[in-house]
Amino acid sequence: MTAYKINFKDIAAQLQAQADYYVPQWLPHGKKRGAEWVLGDLDGNAGESLSINLKTGLWSDFSTGEKGGDLISLYAAIHRLQYKAAAEELSRLLGTAPIVPTGRKSAVKAEKSPWKIIMPVPADAKPIHKAHPVRGAYNHFWTYKNRQGEVLGYVCRFTNSEGKKEILPLVYAEDTSRGGYFDWRWMHFPLPRPLYGLDRLSDKPVLLVEGEKCADAGHQLLQDRYDVLTWPGGCNAVDKVDWSVLADRIVYIWPDCDSHRNPKTGEYLDKTVQPGYVAAQKIAEQLKDKAKKVYVLDVAIPGQLKDGWDIADAIESGATADILITYIREQAQLFSDNGDRLPMIKASVVEKNPNIKELYEKLICKGNGVVVDCMQNIITLIDELPSLKGKIQLNKLTERVTVVGELPWNTEYPRAWNDADELELIDYLSREYKFLFKTPLTVLNAVKVAASRQVYHPLQDWLETLKWDGQDRLTNWLNTYLGVPATDYTRLIGPLWLRQAINRALNPGCKADYVLILEGRQGLRKSTALRVLGGSWFADSPLDIHNKDLYQIINGVWIYEIAELDMFNRAEATAIKAFITRGTDRFREPYGRHVVEQARHTVFAGTTNADEYFKDTTGNRRFWPVKCTAIDIDALARDRDQLFAQALYEFEQGYPCHPTPEQERQLIQEEQGAREISDAWETKIRTALAEPDFMETKLSMVYILEKIIGLDMARVTSTRQQETKIGGIMKKLGWEKKRQPADRNGYRGYAYVKTVPS
C-alpha cells in the first residue's frame, strides 16, 4: 500500500484564499468585524470570545485558551480531529492531490492547550470563579453532576453589552506544563460531554429539552412523570454528547419552536430547517439504536409562536403539569427515517365524500400529497365542509367563539366553544377525512380566525327585530310595572335609564354612568324585575371590585344588578362609583398572551331594602333611587319588548340619554339627598350657617372645628380625617376652599368662601 503525505501548505493556502467563504460556512452564527470573524466559541454559539483573522488564518479562543495558526487547525478544533485527519478531509473537499512522502515530517502542527480537565471535581478543589475576565460576573449558573451526584463542572450564563445571553462552561483542570497546578478554566467539557440532570435520572421516561433553564423548569413540574434532562452547547453540539446513558430508555425530545426567517425574502423558513427541529432530529438519530423508543414532539409552524418558544415559555404563560403532559402525549411522534408521518387520503374517504377532491385542492400539501398539519388548513376545512360551515362564529357581545348550529359531535346550540370541542374537531377530521391535526393550540387559533370572519351580535340583532306599536308605555313605566309613585322625577329618569341601555347596546363603550336603584321591602321581586328586563343578558353575581375576573364576569352582560347596595362600606361604594363609570375594560384572559381591551355593553341597576344607604356626602349623582311598592312581573314580561322598542325608537329620534344640569338640580338631587345617612356634623354646620345672625362669608378650618363643631383642637388626629370630612360637607353646602391673601407674617392660608346659597 503506497503511503502518502498531505500537502499541508497548499491546503492552508487554498483555504486562506477563500477564508471569507469557508469560515462563515463552518461557523455560521458569527459576525464580521473588520478583517475578523467573531463569535462565542467553537460550537458556533453567538458571542465574542472566539476571533478568526480572515487574512492571516490566525485564530484564538480566549475563553478556553485554544488557538491556531491556520484554517486547518481551526477546522480540526471545530470537529475535534487530529491536525492530519482534518487536512485529509479538507484535501478531499478542495480536490488537493496527495504527495509521495519524502521521509520528513510536516512542520505544521496544531497548538494544543496544556490544560487537562479533571472530572469529577475533587472534594478539595478551590472555589469556582465568580466572574469571567472579559464577560464579567455571570448572572446564573447550573451545576453538572454525574449519576452519583458528584460535580463535573458548571455552565454559566452572561449578558453581553447588547443585552443578549452568552453561555460559557467552567471546568476544573490541571496545567500539565507546570505539573500539579490546578485551577478552574473557561473550557468545554471533554468529549463526549455529559448530560445535565444525570443526578436525578431514575427509571421514568426521559424528556429532553434544549437548555438548562428549560430542564429545571420542566423538572419542577414534571419530576413525578419524566426525568427532564438537557445537553451542553446547544443545537450545534448534539454530536458531541454522551447519549449512551439513555440506552434502553423511552425518550421524548421537545425541540424549541424556532421561527427564523429567510434573510433575503423575510419569509419564515420551513420547520424542517429550523435549528431546534434539526437538532431534535439529530438527537433522535443518535438514540434510535440505543433507546427503547424515541419520540419527537411536533412543534408549531414557524411564526405561530414567538421565536424559540419552549417548555419554560409554556410554564410562564400558566401551563400546569396536566397541560404539559397532555401536550407531550398529543405532540409526540415516534421517530423513524421517514419524515412524512401523515397518511394520504384513502380511496374510501373519497368514495364517501365525492367533493373531497375539490376540497383537497384548496389545502396546503407536501410534495407527496400529504396534508400539512397547519392552521391555514383547519380554517379552510371550517369554511368549506358542509358539516362545519357557518356554525362557528364570533359573538361580538361576548367577544367569544360561539357555536350557532348543530355540530357532528354535539347538536346543542347556541353555546360557547370549549376545550372539548377542539378535541372533538381533531377526532372528527381524522375519522371522517383522515386529516391529522395534532395540536389543540393550532386548532384553537384556526377556530378563532375562522370565527372572526363570521361575526354576529345577538343583542343588536334582537333590537333590530323590535317594532314599536306607537303606544306610550315608557314615560310611566316605573309606576305601571314597579309601583313607583309617578312624579316628574320618575317620568324623567325612567325613560333616560332605558334609553341609556339602548345606547350601550348599539354603541359599546359610550357614556352610561347612571345606576337605577330599586328600593323596597324584601320579597318584592326587585331582582326578578331586572332579570325580566335583561333576559338572557342579565347577571347578578356578587360585585367584588377586587376580583381580577370581574371584567370577564360582566363581559356579555347588558343589565347587571348590584344587589344590597346598602351593605357596602364607604370605601367599597367609592370604588363601585369609579367602576361603573368606565366605558372600556382592559384585562388579560386566562393563558392569554395579550391584554384585551373591550368596550362595555353593560348598564347597572342596584337593589336595596333600606331607605337610607348613601354613606358619602358627595358623589351620589350617579345613582337614581326609586321606591317600589308593587311589582307586576307578568305585565313587565308581557310588555318588555314594547318598552325597549319605544326606547329604541326615541333613541333613534335623538331623545336624550342623560339629564341636563338643570334637571339634576331641580329633580334629582333632592331624591338623592333623601337617601343619605344622616350626619351629625353636617346637621350642626348646616344649622349654624342658617342662623339669621350668622354673617361670616369666609370660614377657616379651625373656626369650623372649634366654634361650630365644638371640637377641642387637641383631639384633632394627624390622619386629617376630621378635615377631610369637613371639606366634603362644606363643598356640599356650597362653600369653596380658596387661598387667602398673605397676613402680616406673609402666610397665605385657606378658607371656605360661600359661592351658592346653602
Side-chain angles (χ1 to χ4, degrees), residues 325-340:
I325 291 169
T326 300
Y327 178 80
I328 294 168
R329 183 176 63 249
E330 292 176 347
Q331 298 305 110
Q333 292 183 344
L334 185 63
F335 178 78
S336 70
D337 294 330
N338 178 14
D340 297 319

Side-chain angles (χ1 to χ4, degrees), residues 437-630:
F437 301 98
K438 300 172 291 304
T439 311
L441 180 60
T442 302
V443 176
L444 173 61
N445 290 336
V447 168
K448 285 182 177 179
V449 173
S452 68
R453 297 173 181 175
Q454 300 188 67
V455 301
Y456 77 106
H457 196 299
L459 178 55
Q460 293 179 0
D461 293 345
W462 173 70
L463 290 175
E464 288 181 3
T465 67
L466 300 180
K467 303 297 179 185
W468 182 38
D469 61 10
Q471 180 182 342
D472 180 17
R473 300 176 182 84
L474 194 61
T475 303
N476 285 305
W477 78 272
L478 291 173
N479 172 259
T480 304
Y481 305 104
L482 306 184
V484 178
T487 63
D488 289 342
Y489 164 69
T490 60
R491 283 188 287 268
L492 170 68
I493 60 103
L496 283 178
W497 189 78
L498 287 183
R499 288 198 291 268
Q500 175 184 254
I502 294 293
N503 192 12
R504 263 283 166 94
L506 299 180
N507 302 296
C510 69
K511 181 179 175 63
D513 298 345
Y514 298 100
V515 181
L516 181 67
I517 306 296
L518 303 187
E519 305 169 351
R521 59 178 173 79
Q522 188 172 357
L524 194 60
R525 307 185 75 185
K526 303 182 292 294
S527 296
T528 305
L530 293 173
R531 184 180 298 276
V532 168
L533 286 173
S536 60
W537 305 298
F538 168 83
D540 59 354
S541 302
L543 188 64
D544 182 0
I545 297 296
H546 309 293
N547 186 349
K548 63 182 179 64
D549 297 325
L550 177 59
Y551 299 114
Q552 296 176 67
I553 292 172
I554 69 170
N555 179 31
V557 176
W558 188 25
I559 295 178
Y560 194 101
E561 178 191 357
I562 307 174
E564 302 300 334
L565 190 66
D566 56 295
M567 298 299 292
F568 294 100
N569 60 38
R570 180 173 296 181
E572 289 172 333
T574 301
I576 290 173
K577 292 168 194 172
F579 171 74
I580 63 175
T581 58
R582 294 178 192 145
T584 302
D585 297 319
R586 300 181 78 251
F587 57 91
R588 188 188 301 275
E589 296 177 324
Y591 306 114
R593 298 172 59 195
H594 305 288
V595 172
V596 174
E597 188 167 299
Q598 194 158 304
R600 279 190 189 172
H601 294 80
T602 312
V603 293
F604 296 91
T607 56
T608 180
N609 302 329
D611 296 323
E612 294 183 352
Y613 44 88
F614 289 151
K615 298 179 175 67
D616 197 355
T617 58
T618 61
N620 295 319
R621 61 181 293 266
R622 304 296 181 191
F623 300 99
W624 293 341
V626 294
K627 185 72 173 180
C628 303
T629 60

Side-chain angles (χ1 to χ4, degrees), residues 9-200:
K9 184 177 180 180
D10 188 31
I11 294 172
Q14 289 190 52
L15 289 173
Q16 195 59 57
Q18 303 179 68
D20 286 326
Y21 171 76
Y22 284 113
V23 173
Q25 188 181 65
W26 297 344
L27 300 167
H29 298 298
K31 55 186 176 183
K32 193 172 183 181
R33 181 183 294 165
E36 295 184 334
W37 187 253
V38 180
L39 67 161
D41 52 39
L42 291 167
D43 288 327
N45 294 310
E48 299 180 356
S49 299
L50 174 63
S51 175
I52 303 109
N53 191 307
L54 299 176
K55 290 185 177 180
T56 65
L58 293 171
W59 62 272
S60 177
D61 186 342
F62 60 75
S63 69
T64 64
E66 293 179 273
K67 58 184 177 179
D70 59 20
L71 297 186
I72 301 176
S73 62
L74 175 65
Y75 186 87
I78 293 172
H79 297 281
R80 299 302 188 265
L81 299 171
Q82 294 294 325
Y83 188 85
K84 181 178 179 182
E88 288 175 344
E89 283 193 11
L90 291 169
S91 71
R92 290 190 291 270
L93 173 69
L94 298 170
T96 303
I99 299 176
V100 177
T102 62
R104 293 179 299 170
K105 295 183 178 180
S106 171
V108 184
K109 295 183 179 180
E111 299 183 48
K112 297 181 180 180
S113 169
W115 291 94
K116 177 184 177 182
I117 298 172
I118 309 298
M119 294 197 316
V121 177
D124 60 351
K126 62 178 65 175
I128 66 171
H129 300 325
K130 299 300 182 182
H132 186 276
V134 175
R135 294 287 168 260
Y138 45 83
N139 47 42
H140 196 82
F141 71 92
W142 291 273
T143 306
Y144 275 67
K145 299 179 180 180
N146 59 20
R147 294 290 300 277
Q148 292 74 39
E150 298 172 305
V151 175
L152 302 177
Y154 301 90
V155 165
C156 303
R157 182 180 65 201
F158 301 82
T159 301
N160 64 20
S161 59
E162 299 176 356
K164 298 179 180 180
K165 69 175 183 180
E166 290 191 21
I167 303 294
L168 289 178
L170 181 61
V171 296
Y172 197 66
E174 178 187 8
D175 186 349
T176 57
S177 66
R178 288 189 278 178
Y181 179 77
F182 299 88
D183 200 358
W184 290 95
R185 300 294 296 173
W186 297 101
M187 299 171 63
H188 287 289
F189 291 104
L191 300 180
R193 297 173 183 171
L195 290 170
Y196 176 73
L198 289 175
D199 53 313
R200 56 198 185 206

Side-chain angles (χ1 to χ4, degrees), residues 344-418:
M344 297 287 287
I345 295 180
K346 297 180 180 179
S348 59
V349 176
V350 178
E351 292 174 2
K352 287 170 57 179
N353 305 277
N355 297 325
I356 194 69
K357 290 183 178 179
E358 181 180 345
L359 173 61
Y360 194 80
E361 293 176 355
K362 299 179 181 180
L363 300 174
I364 302 171
C365 301
K366 298 183 181 180
N368 61 358
V370 173
V371 174
V372 175
D373 179 2
C374 66
M375 183 181 73
Q376 291 79 2
N377 279 341
I378 301 174
I379 295 171
T380 300
L381 293 171
I382 293 173
D383 290 343
E384 298 292 336
L385 288 175
S387 56
L388 302 175
K389 187 175 183 178
K391 297 180 180 180
I392 306 171
Q393 300 183 10
L394 180 65
N395 184 333
K396 290 298 291 181
L397 176 62
T398 63
E399 291 294 341
R400 293 172 182 158
V401 177
T402 305
V403 178
V404 298
E406 291 187 6
L407 294 175
W409 57 88
N410 191 330
T411 59
E412 180 185 354
Y413 73 93
R415 60 180 179 81
W417 180 269
N418 57 46

